[in-house]
Amino acid sequence: MGEFADKLAAKPLSYQRAYLGRLLPNYVKSGNLEKYYQKLTDFNFLMAKIQHPEFGVQALIDDFNLVDDSEALTHPEYNPEKAKALDLIQATLWMSADILDRDKTKLAEQLLGRLLYFEMPQIQAMLEVAKQWKAAPWLRPLTPCLTPPRRGLLRTLKGHNNSVNAVAVTEDGKRAISGSDDNTLKVWDLTTGKEEFTLKGHRNSVNAVAVTEDGKRAISGSTDKTIKVWDLTTRKEQFTLKGHSYSVYAVAVTEDGKQAISGSFDKTIKVWDLTTGKEEFTLEGHSYSVNAVAVAEDGKRAISGSLDKTLKVWDLTTGNEQFTLKGHSYLVNSVAVTEDGKRAISGSWDKTLKVWDLTTGKQLFTLEGYGYLVNAVAVTADAKRAISGSWDNTLKVWDLTTGKKLFNLEGHSKSVYAVAVTEDGKQAISGSDDKTIKVWDLTTGKEQFTLKGHSNSVNAVAVTENGKLAISGSWDNTLKVWDLTTGKEQFTLEGHSNSVNAVAVTEDGKLAISGSADNTLKVWDLTTGKQQFTLEAHSNSVNAVAVTADGKLAISGSDDNTLKVWDLSSGNNVIASFTCKSSITCCAVAPDRLTVVAGDESGRVYFLRLEGIAEYLEKGMT
């Protein structure tokens, strides 16, 4: 925990309470601003305070408010850079409060994941100390991968009984209007944080809200296909605008308050006269749902955003489209790490692969050439070639030195979902929606043979290091073990109650680990073909599995947004967990067994380091 924390922990709780509770107020009272700054950038002090049973996260957050901003400006020890550092740390604690309330050991993870973006010396010094925390195993972010702090949270407004989908603020900043899946809008006083009143009338979710510049009217869009105009003075509905044939997902209002613009799942934008309540005209051009709408300050142009990955700019005078803006990407679906642990290769639904430097966390180059989504990627042991699989039914072999495509592997009749490569780099094994596994000769680029036996799509495949066995996982809920010399099935592994999404195999080829849509992982003995045990802790489908080179640890990624690290020697034991932005779609672990790379559904790539593992394993051995 560090020398400070160890010494403090050795003291009686009464001493700890007095020290942690009075130290900072005494610094402020005596005018010792420099020591106040220093203590609030001391990781060990922060950890001690949130772990004390009488304090916790909120008490620590309040410590950052002990100095009045206006008074601090005239203090001789006032340092604007240090004050900014404290603001960022406090904002991070606000953002992480729910996580830290549940698990105090997440402090180092949250500070690093959110504050590595900032080069300020006070923050970087604190993070250097945080990196050394080893009281328990944890996944240390190597690059900034969590949402960074912006402005501090002022208050939370509670009252809706379902998801809040939209919010608008009046021009004077005194009121907020929110829309929810509970079919209502609520009007809030931003000075007091109190709910003023509720607007009821929609028959389904409220997806969008706008407010006129004078703050007198609100406009809402709903899944019930309507737009409603509300009088915020009388708290009554003025009228309903009907015309869309599907859900309304976006609304905007011109600065003069005379027109409203709505976007819908019916692919159209409609312009409405707010004086008469009549539709003026419809803007057509998007090929998919319109999810966002904005209007220029002069009221002459509207900009719409769509699930077709484009933005369109419209002339509200003529109703004509002016131009389209293109360039959006999509989720990261697969990732592999080179054997030397220096590079990662990620595949995405934006149809590209990217090669990353794991030392710097920087993108090296992009591999382009697919016309469809990239589902899977593997890399040869010498780190010279990558093999990817796609929805276009093909695999591509890439030269990682030049960034060029070497050749295509064609033969599957449906999407390729999984790819693995033998240790010697001579063979690739692919799994497909066509229910087959194919073995490819990477020297000639030819198919060697096809493994048939699954009754549904093959989602995952792994190969033992000696290149003799392949293990495949399928939507038929089973795994199959194949002899790569003969092309024959050896046996079937049964036990999952839903689709098998991921497979990994230990370096010695004795164990396979599978992840499933039944929310579990299973560990299999490849000698006997028997299940050893089940790993249960995820609350949603397991999409990705990796295993360390020594076969002692497994890493899994899930639709519950978490990465979990498992001790395979003790059975169902999670020793570390990391929460990502969205569903984890892929993960890999470097040969050092400490560096973990994962990709999520939002397109974010995470570079993490497993800390405290040596101490954990040492305890387990004694």
Side-chain angles (χ1 to χ4, degrees):
M1 290 176 63
E3 186 178 348
F4 166 82
D6 290 339
K7 287 182 178 179
L8 187 62
K11 300 287 187 181
L13 278 177
S14 57
Y15 175 88
Q16 295 179 35
R17 180 175 63 251
Y19 177 83
L20 295 170
R22 297 175 189 169
L23 182 66
L24 294 178
N26 286 343
Y27 283 156
V28 174
K29 189 175 181 180
S30 64
N32 198 335
L33 214 56
E34 180 61 33
K35 286 191 174 180
Y36 173 77
Y37 287 145
Q38 183 181 358
K39 196 54 69 174
L40 284 178
T41 54
D42 180 343
F43 172 79
N44 289 318
F45 179 84
L46 304 184
M47 178 63 86
K49 184 121 187 185
I50 71 168
Q51 288 188 323
H52 193 281
E54 294 189 30
F55 296 111
V57 183
Q58 187 57 52
L60 180 59
I61 291 170
D62 292 341
D63 282 343
F64 288 80
N65 298 326
L66 291 175
V67 176
D68 182 85
D69 288 344
S70 58
E71 294 177 5
L73 288 173
T74 60
H75 194 284
E77 292 184 357
Y78 175 74
N79 184 313
E81 186 174 358
K82 292 180 180 178
K84 183 180 179 182
L86 261 57
D87 286 343
L88 290 170
I89 296 168
Q90 184 188 39
T92 295
L93 294 170
W94 270 117
M95 295 176 71
S96 308
D98 288 346
I99 294 169
L100 295 174
D101 280 337
R102 294 192 299 270
D103 187 350
K104 304 294 191 298
T105 68
K106 298 286 188 182
L107 179 62
E109 163 201 303
Q110 292 296 307
L111 291 173
L112 286 159
R114 300 186 193 280
L115 292 176
L116 277 170
Y117 295 94
F118 304 97
E119 298 296 333
M120 303 166 69
Q122 298 83 4
I123 285 180
Q124 290 300 317
M126 179 188 68
L127 297 183
E128 280 301 316
V129 177
K131 289 178 184 178
Q132 309 306 316
W133 187 79
K134 297 186 185 299
W138 61 293
L139 286 164
R140 172 167 67 89
L142 298 178
T143 59
C145 58
L146 301 176
T147 304
R150 301 301 183 199
R151 293 186 177 180
L153 175 66
L154 295 177
R155 56 170 45 90
T156 300
L157 309 177
K158 296 183 179 180
H160 285 294
N161 58 28
N162 212 326
S163 301
V164 178
N165 301 322
V167 65
V169 178
T170 55
E171 181 83 6
D172 60 12
K174 294 181 178 179
R175 278 177 163 178
I177 301 96
S178 57
S180 168
D181 276 350
D182 65 11
N183 305 354
T184 72
L185 296 93
K186 290 184 181 291
V187 180
W188 308 86
D189 184 321
L190 290 182
T191 305
T192 64
K194 303 295 185 183
E195 178 186 329
E196 290 190 16
F197 52 89
T198 299
L199 302 172
K200 298 181 180 179
H202 282 296
R203 292 179 289 104
N204 212 320
S205 298
V206 180
N207 302 320
V209 179
V211 62
T212 56
E213 189 170 344
D214 60 12
K216 294 181 178 180
R217 290 189 293 177
I219 299 94
S220 57
S222 169
T223 303
D224 67 11
K225 309 176 190 177
T226 71
I227 300 102
K228 289 185 182 289
V229 181
W230 309 85
D231 187 318
L232 296 181
T233 305
T234 65
R235 307 181 181 187
K236 302 291 184 183
E237 177 187 327
Q238 284 192 323
F239 41 76
T240 298
L241 309 175
K242 297 181 179 180
H244 283 295
S245 57
Y246 285 98
S247 300
V248 179
Y249 285 144
V251 292
V253 62
T254 55
E255 189 169 338
D256 60 13
K258 293 181 179 180
Q259 289 176 307
I261 299 93
S262 58
S264 167
F265 189 74
D266 66 11
K267 310 176 190 177
T268 71
I269 300 101
K270 290 184 182 290
V271 181
W272 309 85
D273 186 321
L274 291 182
T275 305
T276 64
K278 303 293 184 182
E279 179 185 328
E280 292 188 346
F281 47 82
T282 298
L283 308 174
E284 296 180 297
H286 282 297
S287 60
Y288 215 146
S289 172
V290 179
N291 297 331
V293 177
V295 63
E297 191 170 330
D298 61 9
K300 294 180 179 179
R301 291 188 297 173
I303 301 93
S304 57
S306 167
L307 272 181
D308 64 13
K309 304 180 187 176
T310 70
L311 295 94
K312 291 183 181 291
V313 181
W314 308 86
D315 186 322
L316 292 181
T317 308
T318 64
N320 292 327
E321 177 186 330
Q322 290 189 325
F323 46 84
T324 299
L325 310 174
K326 297 181 180 180
H328 291 290
S329 58
Y330 214 164
L331 65 87
V332 177
N333 202 35
S334 54
V335 67
V337 177
T338 57
E339 193 159 308
D340 60 11
K342 293 182 179 179
R343 290 185 292 175
I345 300 92
S346 57
S348 169
W349 280 15
D350 67 6
K351 308 174 189 176
T352 71
L353 296 99
K354 292 184 182 293
V355 181
W356 307 84
D357 186 322
L358 288 184
T359 306
T360 64
K362 303 294 185 182
Q363 179 185 324
L364 296 175
F365 48 84
T366 299
L367 306 176
E368 297 179 293
Y370 275 113
Y372 289 86
L373 315 182
V374 179
N375 294 322
V377 63
V379 62
T380 56
D382 60 9
K384 293 182 178 179
R385 291 183 294 174
I387 300 94
S388 56
S390 167
W391 269 24
D392 68 2
N393 309 350
T394 73
L395 296 93
K396 293 184 186 295
V397 181
W398 307 86
D399 186 320
L400 293 181
T401 305
T402 65
K404 302 294 185 182
K405 183 182 74 172
L406 295 174
F407 48 84
N408 289 342
L409 303 175
E410 299 180 8
H412 283 295
S413 60
K414 287 190 177 181
S415 299
V416 179
Y417 286 148
V419 180
V421 63
T422 56
E423 180 74 12
D424 61 11
K426 294 181 179 179
Q427 290 176 305
I429 297 91
S430 57
S432 167
D433 193 28
D434 65 12
K435 308 177 188 178
T436 71
I437 300 100
K438 290 184 181 291
V439 181
W440 308 86
D441 186 323
L442 292 181
T443 306
T444 65
K446 302 294 184 182
E447 178 185 329
Q448 289 189 320
F449 44 81
T450 298
L451 310 176
K452 297 181 180 180
H454 284 295
S455 60
N456 211 324
S457 300
V458 178
N459 299 324
V461 66
V463 63
T464 56
E465 186 165 345
N466 62 14
K468 294 181 178 180
L469 297 178
I471 301 93
S472 56
S474 168
W475 274 11
D476 64 11
N477 306 354
T478 73
L479 296 95
K480 289 183 182 290
V481 181
W482 309 86
D483 185 320
L484 291 182
T485 307
T486 64
K488 302 294 185 183
E489 177 186 331
Q490 287 198 329
F491 43 81
T492 298
L493 306 176
E494 296 180 299
H496 282 297
S497 60
N498 210 326
S499 169
V500 179
N501 300 327
V503 180
V505 63
T506 55
E507 191 168 315
D508 61 11
K510 294 181 178 179
L511 297 178
I513 301 95
S514 56
S516 168
D518 65 11
N519 306 353
T520 72
L521 296 94
K522 290 184 182 290
V523 181
W524 309 87
D525 186 319
L526 294 181
T527 305
T528 64
K530 302 294 185 183
Q531 177 184 323
Q532 286 198 328
F533 46 84
T534 299
L535 307 176
E536 298 178 287
H538 284 295
S539 59
N540 212 326
S541 177
V542 180
N543 302 322
V545 179
V547 63
T548 55
D550 59 12
K552 293 180 179 179
L553 304 175
I555 298 93
S556 57
S558 166
D559 277 345
D560 65 11
N561 299 2
T562 70
L563 278 166
K564 295 188 186 297
V565 182
W566 307 81
D567 181 350
L568 293 180
S569 64
S570 62
N572 194 32
N573 185 17
V574 177
I575 61 173
S577 182
F578 185 86
T579 301
C580 298
K581 183 179 179 181
S582 59
S583 296
I584 309 301
T585 52
C586 53
C587 68
V589 60
D592 63 6
R593 81 176 182 183
L594 299 176
T595 304
V596 177
V597 186
D600 75 10
E601 199 173 58
S602 72
R604 187 169 297 193
V605 179
Y606 298 81
F607 302 96
L608 308 166
R609 185 172 178 83
L610 184 56
E611 299 287 1
I613 190 60
E615 293 80 359
Y616 169 84
L617 291 175
E618 186 176 327
K619 288 178 185 176
M621 298 300 176
T622 57

